[in-house]
Amino acid sequence: MRKFLYILLLLIIPFTTLFAQSEGSVIEGKVIDHKSKEALGFVTIALIPDGATVPVAGCNSDDEGAFLISNVKAGKYKLRISFVGYLDDTRSITVKKGERNNIGIVAIKPDNKLLKEVVVTEQRSQMSFEIDKRVFTIDQNIAATGGSASEVLADIPSVEVDNEGTVSLRGSESVTVWINGKASGLTSDNQGDILQQMPAGSIERIEVITNPSAKHSPEGTAGIINIILKRDRKAGYYGSLQAGADSQGGFNGSGNINYSSGTLDAYAGLNYRNMRHNGSGSSLTKYHTTDRFQEQTSKSLRNPQNTFLRAGLTWRFTKNDELYTNLSGMMTFGKGSTTIKSVSGISSTNTINEERIRTTSESNRPTMFNADAGYRHTFNEGHFIDLSVSHNIWKMNNKSTYNQTTFFYDEDTTEVESYQFQQGKNSSNTTEIKLDYENKISENSRIEAGYNGRLAREESPTTTYSDKEHSIIDNKLYNRFIYNQDTHALYATYSGRVGSFGYQLGLRGEYWRVKTRSINWEQETSGTLPAYTNKDFFKLFPSLFVTYALPTGDELQANYTRRLRRPWGRQLNDFRNISDSTNISFGNPNLTPEYSNSFEFNYIKNWDKHTLSVSAYYRTTSDIIERISYNVGNIIYTTHENVASQQSAGVEIIGKNKLFKILDLTTTVNLFYYKLDAFRYIVTETNQEVTGAADENFSWNANMTASIILPWSMTLQATGRYNARRIVAQGYRKPSYTIDLGLRKSFNQKWSVSLNARDILNSRGWHTITEDSFFYRDAVNRHGGRRISLNVTYSFGNMKAKRPTRKQTQNQSSGYEDYGEMEM
């Protein structure tokens, strides 16, 4: 512990050497509408040298119409201001060394010719690049209207969401999901439930951080997905009401209101969703050693009814000080049913001698409450300190009834019935403390430092009854699992720029302690509880980012980070899940974290209406946590184990094209290579050996989104996705594809209607082949199916109010914003 404190202390010692600073000039100004004089945000500003056609620098105007291009070399340039639905404005400018050039207010005129052809709806670009992340705005995603956060994530390039709500990034499930820059109570245990219940309408944008710096948690070897909830700050009051329904019998309604002034910001929102999800599955399993087979089909229906509430308040009581608080809560009442039919028999003769029908009825009541409060003091622009404390409560009361009828076909048919009732009361409490300090020393240097503490307590008791009166407890199926984890971290980073080179050095130290205890019925009733399993860890996580701006306006980026993936509660709990009596899963309390070293090299090329990004990445990971399956008799057991090491490499290509002034096309292709070393696992209770040969695979996926501005204030959006064949532990997953469509009609500034068709080919799902020396399984699972929905939105309030004249400060999720953002 003393060593830990000593090393952490070193992390916050300020850097003593400041690097040389560039003497580049600055160009600034403001863009407004020529007629209304209102400020225009998200206008593209391009800086082009005289005699050239390709920009060497650029930016986008902010919400107040202001723009700034820094680090400009002396010379003669053309400054081109362009925006959808407006005529381009081009101005000549001569830049002298070290000067600050303010061109004042630029009033651009609407393109009347274009307006006669089509009624242009102003669209904010759906994707933008920053040095360490990609940002996706959700308000322009028509297909997400009335949907859930899971459905939004499923449409994000390089992100996948499976039928159970598990999120993966670039083919890896080792990804951390945040809400507003914090864990906000999301864990691997409840993440799927929360994201499937959270309404897409509450989301402003999603940040995908594939290789986070030392400022961020190292959890998640594939990176971080940060969901930012809406918190608009236009002056005045405004809000919206929305209602919708879909073809599967679901419906939703929501309302939100915002108020903003120079000193006070407030918002509140309420959303109700009654959802219906139909699922289906089938599998064929052949056992090599017993000459038997099992064929299974399943159908399921889930009907969660969810209420999501959020509210917040920011009070800027002085020019440099503000207090803020945010509240969010979720209450759900869900019902569901699953029917599994299976037949088994002898493979060589194709004889059926056993048939099972198992029905599961579930009711669950997940609730979530999250509150955070903070104080921020701004010394000057780019120099602030921010302290926040958040607390999250998550509870899941679940009741499951299992009825099973088994028919044995011997000489006579024998019928056997069984009944089980299982009740679980999972609960977790998490407190998180964050202290962030940032100081922009100059235009070309910045330091960041801070502390992050997270205290998590989780308990999940499960009781199983074997009679319909619920009076007889099945002792073998009782469990109370306790999982506590305390994490303390300190970090420091230094960012700088020398000429065309930008860089960031960072180091993070984390100490965490894990305590687990799994209590069975005998231990619970006797009072002789088992001892806690305690594990302590301390690790350092360095990061390095380097950028180089080419004279042609292109940019090169290279970075390295060290990351980890900690085993989560359910993976550590050795309690056995019996929801499917032929497929039993349980955790492994001996799991240890997996560690990875991640490298990325990025190239970004900008043209007038096009952007190309190419990212090459390479990651090595040790002690990979994988699902391991084996059979005993005719039952397949699944657990987790640190099986081996892996290597993955890939190239991600993203293209953004603005065509014909009305078409916005975003294309992503991710090609990746995956290699898993051979592994050997011994089943303790049976001494059975499970092995996996070394395997490697090249795979790829592609995503394309097209947004088209149509006449009569209409916008059409289509999203298509394809996933090629991919290996998994003990097998592979077959290719899959999906297509979503969305159409939005705006009647005026107040009314809009959206018509969405999700999974129009009814193809969303997983087809997996699993095989070892004991069995072969071919399984197909589908969730949701084709769904058509209609949503109506009404906006109200002071919609044309000017922005507050006072500059608003916002918590940033990275320290690179001043080095440029390229909107796609």
Side-chain angles (χ1 to χ4, degrees):
M1 187 67 179
R2 183 179 300 175
K3 178 182 177 182
F4 158 70
L5 293 174
Y6 175 73
I7 296 176
L8 290 185
L9 183 61
L10 294 179
L11 289 176
I12 59 173
I13 296 178
F15 291 89
T16 57
T17 304
L18 298 180
F19 293 82
Q21 301 177 16
S22 169
E23 296 182 354
S25 302
V26 172
I27 300 175
E28 61 185 347
K30 182 177 181 178
V31 185
I32 65 172
D33 182 281
H34 182 269
K35 184 177 181 180
S36 68
K37 308 303 180 183
E38 291 185 4
L40 296 177
F42 313 112
V43 177
T44 301
I45 317 295
L47 186 67
I48 307 170
D50 267 359
T53 59
V54 178
V56 294
C59 66
N60 295 102
S61 62
D62 62 18
D63 288 348
E64 298 176 1
F67 65 87
L68 183 146
I69 304 175
S70 60
N71 203 30
V72 180
K73 294 181 180 180
K76 294 184 177 181
Y77 298 90
K78 291 181 179 178
L79 195 68
R80 186 172 60 212
I81 297 97
S82 57
F83 191 48
V84 175
Y86 286 79
L87 296 171
D88 289 354
D89 188 301
T90 303
R91 303 191 175 200
S92 298
I93 183 172
T94 300
V95 176
K96 296 182 180 180
K97 186 177 181 180
E99 282 190 354
R100 195 174 188 95
N101 301 272
N102 191 329
I103 67 170
I105 295 177
V106 180
I108 59 177
K109 299 179 180 179
D111 188 343
N112 294 324
K113 180 180 179 181
L114 178 62
L115 290 174
K116 290 179 182 179
E117 296 172 355
V118 295
V119 178
V120 178
T121 301
E122 178 183 337
Q123 290 193 94
R124 181 177 180 178
S125 180
Q126 292 189 55
M127 182 191 298
S128 62
F129 278 117
E130 296 180 16
I131 191 172
D132 67 334
K133 62 188 175 185
R134 299 194 307 275
V135 182
F136 300 87
T137 57
I138 304 305
D139 56 351
Q140 296 299 326
N141 189 330
I142 302 173
T145 306
S148 67
S150 289
E151 292 170 337
V152 170
L153 289 173
D155 290 334
I156 298 294
S158 299
V159 178
E160 293 179 75
V161 182
D162 68 13
N163 293 341
E164 298 177 352
T166 302
V167 180
S168 59
L169 176 62
R170 287 179 174 174
S172 173
E173 294 180 4
S174 178
V175 58
T176 295
V177 180
W178 283 346
I179 299 176
N180 290 336
K182 301 182 180 71
S184 300
L186 266 68
T187 68
S188 296
D189 283 318
N190 62 31
Q191 174 181 289
D193 291 313
I194 293 178
L195 296 179
Q196 288 174 352
Q197 309 298 329
M198 179 179 291
S202 65
I203 302 173
E204 176 182 307
R205 66 184 187 274
I206 293 177
E207 300 174 343
V208 177
I209 312 172
T210 55
N211 216 16
S213 72
K215 178 179 180 178
H216 304 293
S217 167
E219 182 70 48
T221 56
I224 295 171
I225 297 175
N226 186 22
I227 299 173
I228 306 297
L229 300 183
K230 289 180 178 178
R231 190 184 176 188
D232 206 348
R233 279 182 167 174
K234 291 186 294 184
Y237 78 95
Y238 48 95
S240 66
L241 299 173
Q242 186 181 94
D246 63 54
S247 58
Q248 294 188 2
F251 56 91
N252 67 87
S254 66
N256 69 84
I257 188 167
N258 301 264
Y259 172 79
S260 182
S261 66
T263 59
L264 190 67
D265 292 335
Y267 68 91
L270 179 65
N271 182 286
Y272 174 78
R273 301 176 71 230
N274 189 313
M275 298 164 283
R276 294 178 65 89
H277 298 293
N278 296 298
S280 63
S282 63
S283 67
L284 174 63
T285 305
K286 294 183 178 180
Y287 303 93
H288 302 318
T289 57
T290 60
D291 189 31
R292 292 188 62 82
F293 76 92
Q294 181 185 73
E295 190 169 0
Q296 181 173 287
T297 60
S298 66
K299 289 186 177 181
S300 64
L301 172 64
R302 295 176 59 245
N303 179 213
Q305 302 171 44
N306 169 260
T307 301
F308 185 81
L309 171 69
R310 61 189 184 89
L313 181 69
T314 299
W315 177 36
R316 292 178 291 277
F317 55 94
T318 74
K319 179 180 179 181
N320 299 320
D321 298 276
E322 68 177 42
L323 294 172
Y324 57 87
T325 182
N326 299 281
L327 305 173
S328 62
M330 184 182 76
M331 296 172 288
T332 301
F333 174 74
K335 297 183 294 183
S337 62
T338 303
T339 300
I340 301 174
K341 296 181 180 181
S342 62
V343 295
S344 59
I346 301 173
S347 298
S348 57
T349 61
N350 199 28
T351 302
I352 298 175
N353 54 30
E354 185 177 319
E355 181 180 1
R356 294 183 182 182
I357 301 175
R358 184 177 181 85
T359 60
T360 303
S361 299
E362 291 184 290
S363 65
N364 54 69
R365 291 180 178 270
T367 58
M368 184 268 288
F369 174 77
N370 187 83
D372 70 78
Y375 164 74
R376 181 184 180 102
H377 176 75
T378 302
F379 301 95
N380 50 56
E381 184 176 357
H383 187 193
F384 67 85
I385 188 168
D386 193 297
L387 173 65
S388 66
V389 179
S390 63
H391 185 70
N392 181 276
I393 300 174
W394 163 262
K395 293 183 178 181
M396 167 71 91
N397 294 331
N398 183 279
K399 297 179 180 180
S400 301
T401 302
Y402 306 99
N403 286 283
Q404 180 170 299
T405 302
T406 306
F407 300 92
F408 297 96
Y409 303 119
D410 298 322
E411 295 181 359
D412 297 318
T413 299
T414 305
E415 179 179 338
V416 177
E417 294 188 355
S418 64
Y419 173 91
Q420 287 175 327
F421 174 80
Q422 193 171 84
Q423 183 174 2
K425 294 184 178 182
N426 301 343
S427 64
S428 65
N429 292 271
T430 305
T431 300
E432 186 170 3
I433 304 169
K434 290 191 70 177
L435 176 64
D436 295 308
Y437 171 77
E438 183 175 321
N439 187 3
K440 183 180 177 183
I441 301 172
S442 67
E443 288 293 329
N444 300 301
S445 59
R446 181 201 309 258
I447 61 171
E448 297 173 288
Y451 163 80
N452 188 194
R454 189 168 184 267
L455 312 176
R457 304 288 181 267
E458 182 177 335
E459 186 168 341
S460 53
T462 301
T463 305
T464 307
Y465 299 89
S466 57
D467 67 318
K468 294 184 178 181
E469 289 73 27
H470 304 164
S471 59
I472 303 175
I473 294 178
D474 189 333
N475 299 348
K476 294 181 180 180
L477 296 177
Y478 174 88
N479 178 257
R480 183 161 64 94
F481 182 68
I482 300 173
Y483 173 74
N484 299 332
Q485 179 174 295
D486 294 345
T487 305
H488 302 277
L490 290 173
Y491 74 88
T493 69
Y494 178 81
S495 305
R497 182 178 288 275
V498 180
S500 298
F501 284 95
Y503 58 89
Q504 187 203 74
L505 305 172
L507 185 62
R508 185 183 185 96
E510 286 209 355
Y511 166 81
W512 71 97
R513 185 180 187 186
V514 178
K515 294 176 59 177
T516 62
R517 181 160 65 177
S518 186
I519 304 170
N520 60 35
W521 176 256
E522 181 180 347
Q523 293 165 337
E524 190 77 84
T525 55
S526 67
T528 307
L529 301 181
Y532 279 99
T533 298
N534 295 301
K535 293 182 179 180
D536 293 74
F537 303 87
F538 173 73
K539 298 293 179 181
L540 293 175
F541 300 92
S543 67
L544 171 64
F545 290 75
V546 179
T547 66
Y548 179 71
L550 298 174
T552 57
D554 307 339
E555 186 172 10
L556 300 175
Q557 306 172 355
N559 56 65
Y560 159 77
T561 65
R562 185 176 189 237
R563 302 189 61 75
L564 87 161
R565 180 191 186 188
R566 301 178 179 96
W568 42 277
R570 193 178 302 168
Q571 290 180 327
L572 297 169
N573 187 3
D574 56 8
F575 174 67
R576 306 204 164 191
N577 184 349
I578 61 165
S579 57
D580 181 350
S581 61
T582 62
N583 299 280
I584 296 177
S585 60
F586 60 97
N588 179 3
N590 297 316
L591 288 176
T592 58
E594 57 183 54
Y595 299 92
S596 70
N597 294 291
S598 183
F599 303 84
E600 279 194 13
F601 180 80
N602 305 310
Y603 169 71
I604 299 176
K605 171 70 175 179
N606 287 290
W607 291 275
D608 185 17
K609 300 293 184 180
H610 312 282
T611 300
L612 174 67
S613 168
V614 180
S615 300
Y617 56 92
Y618 175 71
R619 182 170 62 243
T620 61
T621 308
S622 59
D623 295 329
I624 288 293
I625 301 173
E626 281 283 2
R627 293 184 180 93
I628 299 297
S629 298
Y630 62 93
N631 73 293
V632 177
N634 296 324
I635 300 176
I636 292 182
Y637 294 86
T638 301
T639 186
H640 289 82
E641 178 67 23
N642 296 99
V643 294
S645 298
Q646 78 172 21
Q647 301 176 57
S648 59
V651 177
E652 186 177 60
I653 304 170
I654 302 176
K656 177 70 177 181
N657 302 280
K658 292 185 177 180
L659 306 172
F660 316 115
K661 294 188 177 181
I662 61 170
L663 174 61
D664 192 325
L665 192 66
T666 302
T667 307
T668 302
V669 178
N670 185 27
L671 306 97
F672 55 94
Y673 166 81
Y674 172 90
K675 181 181 180 182
L676 179 67
D677 294 341
F679 63 86
R680 176 175 173 268
Y681 173 65
I682 303 297
V683 181
T684 305
E685 58 189 33
T686 64
N687 205 34
Q688 181 178 344
E689 182 179 80
V690 178
T691 60
D695 203 353
E696 58 184 340
N697 176 244
F698 171 80
S699 187
W700 62 279
N701 57 54
N703 181 293
M704 178 178 287
T705 298
S707 295
I708 306 172
I709 299 176
L710 301 175
W712 307 296
S713 300
M714 297 176 66
T715 304
L716 174 66
Q717 188 176 92
T719 300
R721 187 185 191 109
Y722 179 82
N723 296 306
R725 182 182 185 273
R726 179 184 308 171
I727 67 168
V728 295
Q730 297 177 275
Y732 63 92
R733 183 176 294 160
K734 288 189 175 183
S736 63
Y737 55 89
T738 61
I739 296 178
D740 301 327
L741 293 176
L743 181 66
R744 176 183 292 158
K745 162 70 175 175
S746 298
F747 293 94
N748 47 47
Q749 284 192 330
K750 293 186 176 183
W751 289 94
S752 67
V753 177
S754 299
L755 179 66
N756 304 320
R758 187 167 183 83
D759 194 14
I760 62 173
L761 301 179
N762 204 26
S763 57
R764 185 172 265 116
W766 306 102
H767 189 168
T768 307
I769 305 296
T770 308
E771 185 173 19
D772 67 4
S773 57
F774 299 97
F775 73 95
Y776 166 89
R777 169 175 287 178
D778 184 335
V780 178
N781 290 285
R782 300 192 183 281
H783 174 70
R786 183 186 299 112
R787 186 170 72 251
I788 299 174
S789 61
L790 180 69
N791 290 271
V792 179
T793 303
Y794 171 73
S795 301
F796 61 87
N798 188 17
M799 305 303 296
K800 293 186 177 181
K802 294 182 179 180
R803 307 272 178 168
T805 57
R806 183 175 176 180
K807 184 174 180 61
Q808 308 295 331
T809 58
Q810 296 181 358
N811 292 327
Q812 304 291 345
S813 58
S814 74
Y816 313 112
E817 285 78 358
D818 287 349
Y819 296 153
E821 176 180 328
M822 287 143 288
E823 187 167 310
M824 296 189 62

